[in-house]
Amino acid sequence: MKSKLWQFAFLLFTAIGFSQSVTVSGKVYDSSTNTPLGGATVLLNKAGVASSAADGSFTVSNVAVGSTLTFSFYGYSSQEFVVSKNETITISLKQDNKAIEEVVVVGYSSKKRKDVTGAISYVSSKTIEQLKPIQAAQALQGTVSGVVVTTGSGAPGSGLNIRIRGISSNTNSEPMYLIDGYQGDINLLNPSDIESITVLKDAQASVYGAKGANGVVLVTTKQGKKNAKTKVSYNAYFGQQETTRKLNLLNATEYALLLNESFANGGQSIPYPNVSGLGLGTNWQNEVFDKAKIVNHDFAVSGGSEKMVYTFSASKIKQDGIIGLDKSGFDRSNARFSFGVDITDKVNLSTNLYYTDYNRQGLNENGLGSVLFNAINTPSTLTPYDANGDYTLVPATAGYGNEVINPLAQIANTHNSYNQKKINGNFILTYKPIKDLKITSRYGFNSANSVGKSFSKKISYGGTKVFNVDRNSVSQNAIRFSDYTFDLFAEYEKVLFDNHKLKLTTGGTLFEEKSEGLYGTGFDVPYNSWEYADIQLANGTPPEGVITSGSYKSSPYKRPSLFATLDYDFKEKYLLSFIVRRDQSSRFPTKNSVAVFKSILGGWIVSQEDFFKKDGFVNFLKIRGSYGTLGNDVAGNNDFRSTLVNSSYVLNNTLTNGVATGKIPNTKIKWETDTKLDLGLDVRMLNNKIDITADYFNDKRTDLLVGGVPISGINGGYAPGSGSPTVNAGTVVNKGFEFSLNYKNDSNKIKYSLGFNATTINNEVLEVKNSTGYIESGSFGIGQLAPTRMEVGQPMGVFYGLQADGIFQNQAEINAYPSQSGLGSATSPGDIRYKDINGDGAIDFKDRTYIGKPIADFTLGFNVNVNYKNIDFVAYAYASVGNDLIRNYERTENRLNKLDYVLDRWTGEGTSNTVPRVTTGATNNNLFSSYFVEDASFLRIQNVQIGYTLPSKVIAKLGISKVRFYAAANNVLTFSKYRGFDPAANTGNPISGGIDYGFYPTPRTYSFGFNVNF
């Protein structure tokens, strides 16, 4: 009896104890940085009860003893705590990068990264924050394998060229960009608004069918988090820019001495009998390059409740150019609002709206007559200003080049502006009628209006310079552009018999875009001034026969599609995915408008097998492969239609406007088709410290759309306003390997990570079905043959010219060598010797051969991150090896300036075997040859940044959760033998992109910034 009483008492007191309510309070910290985590979610027995304040503090009252509190924060591993009494506790949450990146968007759905069977690359918001790119696409440069980012100009606001696994098309190799599911312009986004960027590189992209052949870039923007208190952040940085390089030009004395030698060798009187007082003269690069400022501010508010999430952000960036300051500057203002709400347990509505105001001014940046071209070629003996304070004129006499003018005058007299206002976004409605089914309706759109204006001031630069303007004029345009993407799809996910997991996604997409515009020109602007440059004020009569205004309205481009994907997972070991998509494009005739693209992907997670050794050395091993077809509908809207165009005729010696037949149509054109094969391996080792990804890829693009294929003149292709048709006439293959390795570790108080990636590409043109077997493109000098080709058996854009073979040292060598007179000029000692490639005993243009290529053999990327207490350091670098550039920024007129390598010229037998003599006489030395081709391999330290985060105890009382200061340098150093401004530059043209016309260099930027979170 006594025993039973004791048992009863024990149970009674236990019940009383567990029925007690207590209070638990404390703070939530980041375990590695010891900074408080404001907005951490506190769950009581899996139900939300609280969130931590800005200083990480929380209080939960009326908690039953024995209950479980769960603490969680996005990007951190959750932690549980069992309540036993009233107490104050400290919770340290560990960062979990795996949790952040666990789910990735791979199409119309998402997957856990371990289940992805395709070749993808991922860039997180953390990387974007470290790199501080002006344009979001710059965050892909060197950070992921298989992706090359180039720019044709370093001027503020210039566009970027992105190539995924090489150049496959002669028309457009740009990937498809999707922002939260709809097509958009990644370059207009505020990078701080981006949560992640995912790149689809193989057959995984076939879910996008017609637009997937060049790869797909998926951008996910930041959203509010449920059960999170309002978080406010403000970021700003201020910087100064400068050129990374100035070319080594001749100073005034060197220029005069060399010019004297040139004239003497040409049998003419020397122009500078006395050079003693010339000194260094003018360095025109110093005159045109400036220190330019850049300023960026962005602000964001986000949060959410159990049913709702929200985000608002705004940003403003202003960047002046290192040439011309605001004459080549840009600014971009962004505002974004996103909102999501659970209307019911089954229905969710969300929206994401973006507004952009973009302004840009530009100079003549790249090519014959650009500002830099003139700064390089204007003689250093000339001064910027004359005795009256006016801009000095470059003489208009022979030898000075008809297009070379004072670059400072050119900057001052250049006037133009461009503004685009754009609103884009999406509305998403999801409905879950039953447990395993989700239906999504999504509408995304872009709507933009732009206006542009340019003013040609009445000006004379002397003589017949090509930039002389006899009568001022103003040209203006207004363009309206819009598109929309409507998706309706369903996802059904089911587990059968415990081990068989199926997910079926099926639906349809409709994409449509259209544009229209007006343009006009007015003459005789009052006061010959930019301030009055407006068509409304221009009161002059246009020249007879000149059309001063017009309009256009594009044919709508429509692309309706149906798609389906089936994912199968057996025991989380064996993965299969099937993708099929049917696209129809309005760019092709009816009989060829439909194409069906199919892919299969598979994966084997070997580390899940029972036989796999679980020793911790290899933690995860997955073998995967993919094969499928994708499309590219880059034809023009009217390539298969007969069209009429405006044209001008001379009738009775009078210019008359009329209408002519347009380009010859081709009713048989069809899609470009890309067949992609990928074999890959994913490995994690040493307790997940090492992450390795390796891929082999083979992409073959067939039926390339080749424009301007010559046909019989009887068809009218050579008539004014007409042209040859576009046909499917090419095949290109890209093969190579990708490899990436990332290592991360915590050592005492130091947390660090290292990253490396490498890509090899073998690009080859397999077919060009025209009369020659090649397509020419680009220009070199004036009046010379095209220097680049798309030709069978060669890489895209191969350089084609004469092969230099040293310098003739004496007349005996010339007499013993095949004659070079077929090139147009006589040969003398000191001239370039060219190879007789075809062996016919004579040197002429039939001896042109392949002398370089713009595509690198391999590209590399490197990064390092280090955190020690409150100090953080990051550095990024990338490299390109095996690519060449054509040096085409030097004008070959006698009286213009030269780079100082000409000081090593041939002056007599044995003096030089690399640089030819100087002379005013006619020579073959300036013909396009390997002499003008240079190795453009480089290593660039892209970003270095060091930051300091204030201790939490210093700022917590102010209601601030984080304050970080940092100093950064972008485009820090470039190591290269290339003589030009930027070895990484490329015009973006698939064939002629490797010609350097005098690229506006990407600036080096030094900046100081801070981040504040409330």
Side-chain angles (χ1 to χ4, degrees):
M1 184 68 180
K2 182 182 284 189
S3 173
K4 291 183 179 181
L5 287 174
W6 277 110
Q7 291 177 10
F8 177 77
F10 175 77
L11 291 175
L12 178 63
F13 282 111
T14 302
I16 293 172
F18 275 100
S19 65
Q20 287 179 344
S21 294
V22 298
T23 297
V24 179
S25 60
K27 288 190 176 183
V28 183
Y29 291 93
D30 179 310
S31 64
S32 59
T33 63
N34 206 36
T35 55
L37 295 177
T41 300
V42 185
L43 302 178
L44 174 59
N45 297 327
K46 299 184 178 180
V49 292
S51 295
S52 62
D55 62 353
S57 62
F58 69 92
T59 299
V60 182
S61 303
N62 299 319
V63 182
V65 172
S67 300
T68 300
L69 294 178
T70 303
F71 299 84
S72 63
F73 192 82
Y74 180 71
Y76 292 75
S77 299
S78 299
Q79 186 177 135
E80 293 185 346
F81 177 80
V82 178
V83 177
S84 61
K85 58 183 178 179
N86 289 298
E87 61 182 314
T88 300
I89 62 176
T90 297
I91 301 295
S92 295
L93 299 183
K94 293 183 178 181
Q95 291 188 16
D96 185 1
N97 292 328
K98 182 180 177 182
I100 296 175
E101 302 176 5
E102 185 178 9
V103 177
V104 293
V105 178
V106 292
Y108 291 86
S109 186
S110 58
K111 290 184 179 181
K112 293 182 179 180
R113 292 195 71 181
K114 71 179 184 63
D115 296 334
V116 173
T117 50
I120 69 168
S121 291
Y122 179 90
V123 177
S124 68
S125 58
K126 179 180 178 182
T127 299
I128 296 172
E129 181 181 342
Q130 290 172 341
L131 286 170
K132 294 290 187 298
I134 296 171
Q135 298 182 51
Q138 292 171 317
L140 300 174
Q141 195 169 45
T143 59
V144 296
S145 61
V147 179
V148 174
V149 182
T150 62
T151 178
S153 172
S158 297
L160 299 172
N161 310 307
I162 298 179
R163 301 293 179 262
I164 298 174
R165 291 185 169 179
I167 299 174
S168 297
S169 176
N170 59 295
T171 51
N172 183 359
S173 291
E174 196 76 11
M176 179 188 191
Y177 301 99
L178 291 171
I179 303 168
D180 294 325
Y182 65 95
Q183 285 189 226
D185 187 351
I186 188 175
N187 291 321
L188 291 182
L189 292 177
N190 171 21
S192 295
D193 285 332
I194 296 176
E195 182 66 42
S196 66
I197 302 175
T198 303
V199 182
L200 308 184
K201 298 181 284 188
D202 68 341
Q204 182 80 61
S206 66
V207 71
Y208 296 107
K211 306 301 292 185
N214 295 331
V216 179
V217 177
L218 304 172
V219 178
T220 302
T221 59
K222 294 177 179 177
Q223 308 295 324
K225 304 296 186 295
K226 284 189 174 182
N227 297 309
K229 283 193 174 182
T230 300
K231 177 183 176 181
V232 180
S233 65
Y234 172 69
N235 307 299
Y237 66 82
F238 310 86
Q240 179 173 277
Q241 308 163 91
E242 63 184 21
T243 184
T244 54
R245 190 170 191 181
K246 294 177 182 176
L247 306 190
N248 297 318
L249 302 173
L250 299 177
N251 62 40
T253 302
E254 292 168 336
Y255 164 83
L257 289 170
L258 200 73
L259 197 63
N260 286 344
E261 182 180 324
S262 177
F263 272 67
N265 288 341
Q268 297 176 276
S269 301
I270 62 174
Y272 289 96
N274 182 8
V275 301
S276 60
L278 294 177
L280 298 178
T282 302
N283 185 324
W284 288 96
Q285 293 176 101
N286 291 342
E287 298 296 327
V288 300
F289 281 122
D290 281 300
K291 304 282 188 181
K293 66 180 180 180
I294 180 171
V295 179
N296 179 80
H297 301 272
D298 66 69
F299 168 83
V301 180
S302 64
S305 63
E306 193 160 344
K307 297 285 187 180
M308 177 187 69
V309 295
Y310 59 90
T311 301
F312 172 77
S313 66
S315 67
K316 171 80 171 182
I317 184 170
K318 188 177 189 308
Q319 181 185 16
D320 286 340
I322 57 175
I323 301 175
L325 298 178
D326 61 344
K327 284 291 186 78
S328 66
F330 103 112
D331 65 81
R332 183 187 67 220
S333 300
N334 296 108
R336 185 174 73 97
F337 173 72
S338 70
F339 178 78
V341 60
D342 293 331
I343 298 175
T344 69
D345 291 340
K346 296 183 177 182
V347 180
N348 176 271
L349 175 66
S350 63
T351 184
N352 191 18
L353 299 176
Y354 217 108
Y355 173 78
T356 303
D357 188 345
Y358 173 90
N359 295 278
R360 189 184 180 209
Q361 296 74 43
L363 297 167
N364 188 338
E365 296 170 2
N366 184 11
L368 195 70
S370 70
V371 172
L372 273 181
F373 178 90
N374 289 326
I376 293 170
N377 290 282
T378 300
S380 51
T381 52
L382 297 178
T383 58
Y385 306 95
D386 61 21
N388 298 322
D390 299 322
Y391 291 110
T392 298
L393 298 179
V394 176
T397 53
Y400 283 99
N402 209 28
E403 74 291 336
V404 178
I405 60 175
N406 185 326
L408 294 179
Q410 183 179 16
I411 293 171
N413 294 320
T414 297
H415 301 281
N416 63 72
S417 65
Y418 172 82
N419 171 258
Q420 180 185 126
K421 290 181 171 63
K422 180 178 182 179
I423 183 170
N424 57 287
N426 62 9
F427 297 92
I428 304 173
L429 182 67
T430 60
Y431 173 52
K432 298 179 180 178
I434 57 178
K435 178 183 177 182
D436 301 315
L437 178 65
K438 182 172 75 171
I439 300 172
T440 301
S441 175
R442 183 169 63 196
Y443 177 82
F445 68 96
N446 295 277
S447 181
N449 292 280
S450 69
V451 292
K453 180 167 66 174
S454 63
F455 173 57
S456 295
K457 183 178 181 179
K458 181 180 179 181
I459 190 74
S460 174
Y461 294 101
T464 57
K465 294 284 187 181
V466 296
F467 291 109
N468 289 346
V469 178
D470 298 327
R471 187 181 181 190
N472 79 49
S473 63
V474 58
S475 296
Q476 294 176 249
N477 65 69
I479 298 172
R480 182 166 62 188
F481 165 86
S482 64
D483 68 44
Y484 72 85
T485 305
F486 177 71
D487 303 313
L488 179 62
F489 57 95
E491 300 170 77
Y492 181 75
E493 193 168 4
K494 189 72 174 178
V495 177
L496 302 174
F497 309 111
D498 296 329
N499 295 320
H500 302 271
K501 183 178 180 181
L502 294 171
K503 184 175 184 180
L504 175 66
T505 305
T506 183
T509 293
L510 176 61
F511 176 81
E512 180 176 340
E513 69 177 11
K514 56 186 177 180
S515 63
E516 57 185 346
L518 300 168
Y519 59 89
T521 299
F523 293 86
D524 300 335
V525 170
Y527 307 108
N528 195 32
S529 170
W530 169 247
E531 293 180 353
Y532 295 88
D534 193 283
I535 290 179
Q536 185 177 3
L537 300 177
N539 53 21
T541 302
E544 186 175 355
V546 174
I547 300 175
T548 59
S549 62
S551 65
Y552 78 92
K553 188 171 185 178
S554 69
S555 302
Y557 165 49
K558 298 181 180 181
R559 194 179 67 249
S561 309
L562 298 173
F563 62 88
T565 67
L566 177 62
D567 297 317
Y568 172 67
D569 179 341
F570 178 62
K571 290 187 175 181
E572 296 189 345
K573 300 179 185 178
Y574 313 111
L575 312 170
L576 273 177
S577 295
F578 302 92
I579 302 173
V580 61
R581 176 155 174 149
R582 179 191 184 274
D583 275 317
Q584 184 173 12
S585 174
S586 62
R587 289 176 173 168
F588 301 104
T590 302
K591 62 181 180 181
N592 290 335
S593 65
V594 175
V596 178
F597 306 100
K598 302 177 287 291
S599 295
I600 181 171
L601 302 93
W604 177 26
I605 303 179
V606 184
S607 53
Q608 290 288 90
E609 296 287 358
D610 294 336
F611 64 77
F612 190 82
K613 192 173 183 180
K614 309 293 195 299
D615 58 2
F617 181 74
V618 177
N619 310 108
F620 179 83
L621 172 61
K622 178 173 65 178
I623 300 171
R624 51 183 168 76
S626 65
Y627 179 82
T629 58
L630 303 93
N632 197 19
D633 66 336
V634 290
N637 285 345
N638 298 309
D639 282 351
F640 71 95
R641 297 185 178 100
S642 297
T643 58
L644 298 175
V645 298
N646 293 325
S647 188
S648 299
Y649 304 85
V650 177
L651 298 175
N652 298 323
N653 294 322
T654 302
L655 185 65
T656 304
N657 300 313
V659 176
T661 302
K663 187 174 74 172
I664 297 172
N666 176 12
T667 59
K668 296 182 179 180
I669 59 172
K670 58 183 179 180
W671 312 71
E672 293 182 359
T673 299
D674 199 305
T675 303
K676 294 183 182 290
L677 169 68
D678 185 276
L679 301 174
L681 182 73
D682 299 326
V683 184
R684 291 199 298 268
M685 306 170 61
L686 299 180
N687 296 319
N688 296 310
K689 292 179 180 179
I690 296 178
D691 192 332
I692 297 173
T693 300
D695 285 88
Y696 165 78
F697 61 90
N698 188 321
D699 299 348
K700 185 178 181 180
R701 184 76 58 89
T702 58
D703 293 320
L704 265 65
L705 290 160
V706 177
V709 174
I711 61 172
S712 172
I714 198 171
N715 292 299
Y718 298 100
S722 186
S724 298
T726 296
V727 300
N728 295 100
T731 301
V732 173
V733 65
N734 285 282
K735 296 182 288 186
F737 293 91
E738 294 177 359
F739 176 81
S740 65
L741 184 151
N742 293 284
Y743 175 78
K744 60 182 179 180
N745 195 12
D746 294 337
S747 177
N748 296 326
K749 296 181 180 180
I750 299 177
K751 180 180 180 181
Y752 62 95
S753 64
L754 306 171
F756 168 76
N757 67 78
T759 305
T760 70
I761 291 182
N762 179 17
N763 174 279
E764 183 181 359
V765 178
L766 300 182
E767 185 179 48
V768 179
K769 293 186 289 187
N770 61 9
S771 59
T772 61
Y774 60 83
I775 301 170
E776 294 183 316
S777 185
S779 63
F780 181 84
I782 296 178
Q784 295 198 40
L785 298 171
T788 61
R789 288 184 170 187
M790 173 186 174
E791 184 165 356
V792 174
Q794 300 296 322
M796 185 77 79
V798 65
F799 304 159
Y800 194 74
L802 298 168
Q803 178 65 60
D805 188 29
I807 305 294
F808 285 114
Q809 299 297 318
N810 51 54
Q811 188 62 43
E813 287 186 6
I814 297 173
N815 295 339
Y817 201 75
S819 172
Q820 298 190 161
S821 60
L823 297 174
S825 298
T827 302
S828 298
D831 287 341
I832 296 176
R833 178 175 57 238
Y834 299 109
K835 286 187 177 181
D836 181 10
I837 298 297
N838 61 8
D840 64 357
I843 310 296
D844 54 27
F845 291 106
K846 296 178 183 178
D847 291 299
R848 291 187 298 158
T849 188
Y850 313 109
I851 55 176
K853 59 182 178 62
I855 300 175
D857 294 324
F858 55 92
T859 55
L860 307 168
F862 317 86
N863 66 77
V864 57
N865 286 265
V866 180
N867 288 271
Y868 175 71
K869 294 185 178 180
N870 290 2
I871 300 173
D872 58 89
F873 172 82
V874 63
Y876 284 82
Y878 64 97
S880 178
V881 179
N883 52 301
D884 304 306
L885 278 175
I886 295 174
R887 190 177 74 247
N888 192 29
Y889 45 78
E890 299 168 284
R891 190 71 163 91
T892 55
E893 292 283 356
N894 296 318
R895 290 181 177 269
L896 297 180
N897 206 4
K898 304 286 188 296
L899 271 70
D900 68 355
Y901 70 84
V902 299
L903 295 175
D904 295 326
R905 70 208 175 280
W906 186 91
T907 56
E909 188 169 348
T911 55
S912 177
N913 198 39
T914 55
V915 183
R917 67 191 175 111
V918 293
T919 179
T920 57
T923 73
N924 298 316
N925 295 333
N926 294 321
L927 297 175
F928 176 58
S929 71
S930 58
Y931 177 70
F932 295 98
V933 175
E934 295 185 17
D935 181 3
S937 301
F938 68 90
L939 167 64
R940 172 166 292 172
I941 300 175
Q942 175 65 12
N943 178 275
V944 174
Q945 183 182 137
I946 187 167
Y948 178 75
T949 301
L950 293 180
S952 58
K953 62 183 180 180
V954 175
I955 59 176
K957 294 181 180 180
L958 301 176
I960 301 174
S961 60
K962 179 181 178 180
V963 176
R964 176 178 176 266
F965 297 94
Y966 67 89
N970 280 284
N971 196 22
V972 185
L973 286 172
T974 301
F975 302 94
S976 177
K977 294 180 180 180
Y978 183 64
R979 291 191 181 103
F981 286 108
D982 192 348
N986 189 290
T987 67
N989 185 291
I991 301 177
S992 61
I995 305 175
D996 185 351
Y997 297 100
F999 290 119
Y1000 187 127
T1002 302
R1004 177 186 296 121
T1005 304
Y1006 300 101
S1007 60
F1008 172 79
F1010 59 89
N1011 318 115
V1012 182
N1013 293 340
F1014 299 91

